[in-house]
Amino acid sequence: MYTLACIECGKEYDPDTVIYTCECGGLLEVRFDLDSLEINFKLDGRGMKVWKYRDLLPVTTDPVTINEGGTPLYRCEKLGKVYGIENLFVKHEGMNPSGSFKDRGMTVGVTKAIELGRTAVACASTGNTSASMAMYAAKGGLVAVVLLPKGKVAMGKVAQALIYGAKVLAIRGNFDIALELVRAVADRLGFYLLNSLNPFRLEGQKTIAFEIVDELGYVPERIVLPVGNAGNISAIYKGFNELRELGFIDSVPRMTGIQAEGARPVVDAYENGMSDIIPYGSPETLATAIRIGNPVNAVKALKAIRESGGVALSVSDEEIISAQKDLARIEGIGVEPASAASIAGLKKLIERGEISRDDDVVCVVTGHLLKDPEEIISVCDNPLEVDPDINEIRRAISTDK
Ligand code: F0G
């Protein structure tokens, strides 16, 4: 029904082999024999959640699930008007059980780990992957180990990994170093690796594409989303392609990836016509979720962007903060900084005329506002301290902007 195949040399592997990259070094993907597949779900806008689409998910056992997916797709007319676009939708992946899109991948990845007889899982993370993996490992009864870049993970995410009972290690190094290390940990200590290098995890994330078509009833012109390790944009593109091959839709959206200015290897490669990135040694951005210098899925992401006629673009931290505030204050949608990168990117593309007024655009916002309260406190005015007196309060209100 499906195999694991290398995207570079085409070599196929038994999907029950525990392997994360091809012998040739290429990335792997799950490949379904779509012609022989029986599809029992309908894209009728009903009962959306990850496991609605299980005919296209590569597991056969009962899933380890916490009701992931089925996230709101908001029509944002007010923000659209301010930015100059008529049909703007925002898919709020922060409304997943652990507060990020990672849950879609982890429900599949942890189920696969159990199917393969594994009892322990591991990941490196800028925060959300670890929160999600720890949660599903708890539910599935697995041991979880997470490697975090010390001092560079938002507080809410660390708290999640801790309460779900993972072994949390703060590595004196950045995410890219932690990822290299955890690959060695997985190899040598027998942990099942659940970073986005794991092709089964990405299968869960492709359901974002399924839900967008399911809910809208048509294919939007463009999907805009933040890019870090570059797994999500690749997964969503794969999802659209499968729907097209199955005849549900006849086009795919332009995949538009947004990175932070201080961590933009994919944008550099896109602009220079390269098929792979040159890593950044010291990536830097306040959007710590995407503070990544050596994205492992870059080759897949660049292919997704180019093939679909999309674009890769970077935004500054100031633009991210401003977009985060716009989305919160105009639409009441609260997201963490990395997620706001998609909104900041949208604004820039409209200003540059690359997105026109009548394009249908879906921005995917990837993580919840409460993930990173420290960033919010640092970019908003502090609460005004007042004496417990009505006149003091009146004075404070009238001077507060
Ligand atoms: N947005 C958020 C909130 C994220 O946490 C991440 C990635 C991304 C966007 C980028 O997604 O890596 O698939 O391109 N976070 C990972 C983590 C790296 O460890 O939580 P990507």
Side-chain angles (χ1 to χ4, degrees), residues 101-102 125-129 226-232 289-290 292 336 338 366:
F101 69 97
K102 307 286 181 177
S125 182
T126 56
N128 283 320
T129 296
V227 170
N229 218 12
N232 207 31
I290 53 171
I292 295 177
E336 66 165 286
T366 43

Side-chain angles (χ1 to χ4, degrees), residues 242-302:
E242 285 177 0
L243 290 187
R244 191 183 50 176
E245 281 167 46
L246 287 164
F248 280 108
I249 57 178
D250 49 25
S251 64
V252 298
R254 294 166 186 266
M255 301 304 300
T256 305
I258 314 297
Q259 295 199 293
E261 244 164 38
R264 41 165 273 164
V266 173
V267 180
D268 289 346
Y270 170 79
E271 288 178 355
N272 296 321
M274 289 149 56
S275 58
D276 201 357
I277 52 131
I278 298 171
Y280 279 38
S282 311
E284 208 43 86
T285 166
L286 111 161
T288 51
I290 53 171
R291 187 174 170 274
I292 295 177
N294 189 12
V296 288
N297 289 298
V299 172
K300 282 185 182 175
L302 284 160

Side-chain angles (χ1 to χ4, degrees), residues 381 384-386 389-401:
D381 292 335
L384 287 175
E385 207 174 303
V386 290
D389 173 85
I390 187 75
N391 290 321
E392 284 290 307
I393 290 173
R394 186 178 291 135
R395 197 167 310 132
I397 292 171
S398 61
T399 55
D400 190 14
K401 284 180 225 78

Side-chain angles (χ1 to χ4, degrees), residues 96-375:
N96 274 296
S98 82
S100 86
F101 69 97
K102 307 286 181 177
D103 295 347
R104 293 180 185 272
M106 285 300 169
T107 183
V108 175
V110 165
T111 304
K112 193 71 198 174
I114 293 172
E115 215 169 88
L116 293 169
R118 293 313 181 100
T119 54
V121 290
C123 70
S125 182
T126 56
N128 283 320
T129 296
S130 58
S132 182
M133 190 191 79
M135 187 178 82
Y136 284 93
K139 179 86 176 175
L142 304 179
V143 171
V145 171
V146 308
L147 273 58
L148 307 178
K150 180 174 177 283
K152 294 294 181 183
V153 176
M155 182 92 84
K157 305 173 188 179
V158 181
Q160 287 178 292
L162 290 170
I163 196 67
Y164 293 126
K167 185 88 181 169
V168 181
L169 307 177
I171 303 297
R172 296 185 199 98
N174 65 24
F175 168 81
D176 303 296
I177 292 167
L179 182 55
E180 246 178 75
L181 276 168
V182 82
R183 290 175 74 171
V185 168
D187 274 356
R188 301 212 196 131
L189 309 182
F191 283 80
Y192 189 59
L193 183 68
L194 279 174
N195 279 99
S196 54
L197 206 52
N198 183 318
F200 293 104
R201 213 196 89 190
L202 292 184
E203 289 299 291
Q205 289 174 211
K206 76 186 178 186
T207 59
I208 292 177
F210 299 168
E211 285 186 8
I212 288 171
V213 176
D214 205 344
E215 179 148 6
L216 282 180
Y218 61 90
V219 184
E221 259 115 28
R222 202 179 273 273
I223 304 288
V224 186
L225 75 158
V227 170
N229 218 12
N232 207 31
I233 192 165
S234 317
I236 297 175
Y237 180 59
K238 184 172 190 284
F240 281 113
N241 266 325
E242 285 177 0
L243 290 187
R244 191 183 50 176
E245 281 167 46
L246 287 164
F248 280 108
I249 57 178
D250 49 25
S251 64
V252 298
R254 294 166 186 266
M255 301 304 300
T256 305
I258 314 297
Q259 295 199 293
E261 244 164 38
R264 41 165 273 164
V266 173
V267 180
D268 289 346
Y270 170 79
E271 288 178 355
N272 296 321
M274 289 149 56
S275 58
D276 201 357
I277 52 131
I278 298 171
Y280 279 38
S282 311
E284 208 43 86
T285 166
L286 111 161
T288 51
I290 53 171
R291 187 174 170 274
I292 295 177
N294 189 12
V296 288
N297 289 298
V299 172
K300 282 185 182 175
L302 284 160
K303 193 164 166 284
I305 293 166
R306 289 207 178 97
E307 272 182 9
S308 67
V311 66
L313 183 82
S314 67
V315 290
S316 67
D317 283 359
E318 292 68 38
E319 288 167 327
I320 289 175
I321 296 165
S322 157
Q324 186 187 30
K325 288 182 177 170
D326 286 347
L327 189 61
R329 295 175 183 185
I330 299 172
E331 293 289 349
I333 299 173
V335 300
E336 66 165 286
S339 313
S342 68
I343 305 296
L346 167 78
K347 184 165 188 239
K348 219 167 180 169
L349 288 167
I350 296 171
E351 283 164 4
R352 290 186 179 178
E354 290 193 45
I355 291 183
S356 59
R357 165 164 283 281
D358 53 1
D359 281 350
D360 266 302
V361 179
V362 175
C363 286
V364 180
V365 292
T366 43
H368 199 279
L369 165 79
L370 293 174
K371 290 281 191 174
D372 195 352
E374 287 167 308
E375 180 266 347

